[in-house]
Amino acid sequence: MSDCLFCRIIRKEIPAKILFETEHVLAFHDIQPQAPVHVLVIPKIHVESLAQLEESHRALAGELLLAIQRVARETGIEATGYRTVANTGAHGGQSVFHLHFHVLGGRPLSWPPG
Ligand code: AMP
Ligand code: ZN
């Protein structure tokens, strides 16, 4: 999936404000932040969405969750709380088809979403 936007960010072909990266995971700031902290956590391999996660991704799925926790710690929102969202498919409002978790915080967030 070489023309995928997030794959291009992973390859550093498109600039992004990277918070941290590991062998398998990248965390970078959303270009259109919806909250004072808005970071995206993605796998470095191309997986379209949560719906395409497979048994072979079990370890990666755990790493992504721990990376979300690390984002909260490193952006200073761990104590005040945060929201983690994975938009999936058309009704989920997914617009970039490379699995990503939004990590939002830094202000109280309303619920439910529209
Ligand atoms: P979703 O609508 O859940 O697929 O989320 C895609 C997210 O990617 C949106 O919040 C966008 O603002 C964000 N986004 C799109 N292009 C970029 C980019 N070049 N760098 C960082 N974030 C981006
Ligand atoms: Zn991709």
Side-chain angles (χ1 to χ4, degrees):
M1 266 298 192
S2 54
D3 58 345
C4 162
L5 174 65
F6 287 175
C7 283
R8 296 188 69 193
I9 287 177
I10 290 161
R11 292 198 303 266
K12 313 280 165 65
E13 292 171 7
I14 293 176
K17 276 178 62 184
I18 293 174
L19 183 63
F20 64 78
E21 63 183 306
T22 69
E23 187 182 350
H24 303 294
V25 171
L26 180 69
F28 59 102
H29 294 272
D30 196 292
I31 204 166
Q32 274 194 297
Q34 303 300 314
V37 172
H38 187 172
V39 171
L40 302 175
V41 174
I42 68 174
K44 284 190 172 176
I45 59 164
H46 183 86
V47 178
E48 252 188 53
S49 80
L50 270 185
Q52 277 74 36
L53 263 191
E54 297 173 1
E55 181 59 37
S56 64
H57 301 129
R58 178 177 286 272
L60 178 62
E63 277 192 50
L64 287 163
L65 286 179
L66 290 172
I68 289 164
Q69 190 189 69
R70 180 174 166 190
V71 165
R73 224 168 30 242
E74 295 193 4
T75 57
I77 59 172
E78 191 177 36
T80 45
Y82 52 96
R83 180 168 300 156
T84 306
V85 175
N87 297 325
T88 305
H91 284 192
Q94 185 174 6
S95 65
V96 177
F97 290 87
H98 180 127
L99 173 62
H100 52 282
F101 293 90
H102 298 258
V103 183
L104 299 138
R107 66 168 170 81
L109 299 162
S110 61
W111 189 263

